[in-house]
Amino acid sequence: MNISNFISRHSTSLACTVFAVSLLVPSSPAFAVSKEIVQLQTQVQQLQDAVARLQQSNDERMGVMKDLVQQSADAVNRMSQNIDTLQKQLQVRQDNQGSKIDQVSGQIQSLNDSLDEVKARLGRLEKLAQDIQSQQQSINANMPPAGAPMDNSVPPAANTPPPVAAPTRKGKPSAGTPMSEVTPPPTTPAAPAAPPVDDLYKTALGDYMGAKYQLASSEFSDVVKFYPDHPLAGNASFYRGEIAYRANHYQDAIKEYDRVIEQYADSNKVPVAHLHKGQALLALKQNEAGVRELRALIQRFPNSPEAMQARSKLNGMGVTISPRR
């Protein structure tokens, strides 16, 4: 029950009381008004005045309360607008930070690609130096020692007549025919050897940088096919995953990233393979698996740029991240 209803009910009862008292007081001057009735009328009048003052005070307080409620509502609205503005600013900053991290990650990735190319060239030069060293050792081994007499007992090869080749015969040899005169059956040509892994990888990487993704994917497949145990095969699998990811073939990309993570644990592509696998899982709406993959990246490579990107992604999703150890 609010104050207005209480006062209204009691005002009505007081008015009824006053009316009843007035009926008891005779209007004829012939009857003398008793002292008690006069006092009762005075008290009723005082009570009415008090009720009126109480009603006025209640109205004033209700007005003040309405003003306070309105001010509170306005303050809440302003606070809500400020919170919305802060959230938008925070989102913009987070997006900018994520964009900067992506740029840094892209630059690091480009540096890694250049480093891979330099490693391939160094490997090729090292192999060439080893071949030259082997040839030099072979030449030194075949040369006679200094001061040794020349062996003149054997006539020069230029004076010996060339051997006469035996005539070849076709068809089935007859009895008594020497086997040396039989033409050997034709042999099937050997399959062409694969290009050196460094050259094959360099060509594939150049086509990838030139956005020739279909051709680069085929060339990277050759690297994995012909040299499955070479470290560059892990890089080739990673770039095949990148090509599939760009084409929104997320399942194929995840398979290639898994191959890098599981078969080439020492490759420098493992952190970014974790990151892009998690992003591919999130793109497939497999949020639990994606979050689990990003957390595995943070736990395994906590100080890597890819871990920074994973933290930013998880923070944007409102996912709790374990503190660094």
Side-chain angles (χ1 to χ4, degrees):
M1 182 184 300
N2 56 30
I3 299 175
S4 299
N5 292 334
F6 175 79
I7 295 174
S8 180
R9 290 180 58 184
H10 285 74
S11 299
T12 304
S13 59
L14 288 174
C16 293
T17 303
V18 172
F19 179 74
V21 172
S22 63
L23 291 178
L24 294 175
V25 179
S27 58
S28 175
F31 300 95
V33 180
S34 65
K35 183 178 180 180
E36 289 81 4
I37 293 178
V38 173
Q39 291 178 352
L40 180 60
Q41 288 178 344
T42 303
Q43 292 176 357
V44 168
Q45 184 63 39
Q46 292 175 352
L47 184 58
Q48 287 180 340
D49 294 340
V51 169
R53 288 194 299 271
L54 183 59
Q55 181 67 38
Q56 182 179 1
S57 176
N58 180 62
D59 292 340
E60 292 176 355
R61 291 180 180 178
M62 288 297 295
V64 172
M65 188 176 297
K66 288 181 180 180
D67 293 338
L68 291 175
V69 170
Q70 185 64 38
Q71 292 176 5
S72 299
D74 295 339
V76 170
N77 292 333
R78 289 194 300 270
M79 188 179 298
S80 178
Q81 293 175 357
N82 293 334
I83 291 175
D84 292 339
T85 303
L86 290 175
Q87 286 180 344
K88 291 179 181 179
Q89 293 176 355
L90 181 61
Q91 185 65 35
V92 170
R93 291 181 181 179
Q94 187 172 358
D95 293 341
N96 293 336
Q97 184 179 4
S99 177
K100 291 180 180 179
I101 293 176
D102 291 339
Q103 291 177 359
V104 172
S105 178
Q107 293 174 357
I108 293 175
Q109 188 63 43
S110 299
L111 291 175
N112 287 334
D113 296 339
S114 301
L115 181 61
D116 292 338
E117 185 176 352
V118 171
K119 286 182 178 179
R121 292 182 179 180
L122 289 176
R124 189 162 57 251
L125 291 175
E126 184 179 358
K127 184 177 181 302
L128 181 60
Q130 291 177 354
D131 293 340
I132 293 175
Q133 185 177 4
S134 299
Q135 293 177 1
Q136 184 68 32
Q137 291 176 353
S138 177
I139 292 173
N140 293 335
N142 293 329
M143 289 182 62
M150 298 295 293
D151 187 4
N152 297 324
S153 60
V154 180
N159 297 330
T160 60
V164 179
T168 59
R169 297 180 181 181
K170 298 181 180 180
K172 184 178 180 180
S174 58
T177 303
M179 294 301 295
S180 60
E181 298 180 1
V182 179
T183 304
T187 58
T188 58
V197 61
D198 297 336
D199 295 340
L200 191 58
Y201 179 80
K202 180 181 178 182
T203 303
L205 187 60
D207 290 333
Y208 175 82
M209 294 298 184
K212 301 176 183 178
Y213 297 127
Q214 187 173 0
L215 178 60
S217 179
S218 176
E219 293 166 342
F220 283 129
S221 298
D222 291 339
V223 174
V224 177
K225 176 182 178 182
F226 294 117
Y227 305 96
D229 298 328
H230 197 279
L232 291 178
N235 293 14
S237 295
F238 170 76
Y239 285 116
R240 278 179 52 82
E242 291 292 276
I243 293 171
Y245 187 93
R246 290 173 182 269
N248 297 331
H249 299 159
Y250 299 118
Q251 291 289 1
D252 296 335
I254 290 172
K255 292 180 181 178
E256 296 295 336
Y257 296 143
D258 281 336
R259 180 180 300 174
V260 176
I261 295 170
E262 296 171 1
Q263 299 183 15
Y264 306 96
D266 296 333
S267 175
N268 59 357
K269 304 297 184 186
V270 172
V272 69
H274 273 297
L275 175 64
H276 290 183
K277 178 186 175 182
Q279 292 175 344
L281 289 169
L282 293 177
L284 291 173
K285 305 302 180 182
Q286 300 178 15
N287 293 343
E288 292 184 2
V291 170
R292 186 165 56 251
E293 192 67 28
L294 295 179
R295 281 178 170 171
L297 165 61
I298 296 172
Q299 183 177 5
R300 188 175 178 186
F301 304 97
N303 299 322
S304 64
E306 291 79 11
M308 293 176 58
Q309 289 184 264
R311 290 189 184 92
S312 177
K313 183 67 176 179
L314 293 177
N315 285 330
M317 296 173 60
V319 177
T320 304
I321 306 173
S322 300
R324 297 184 184 180
R325 294 182 178 179

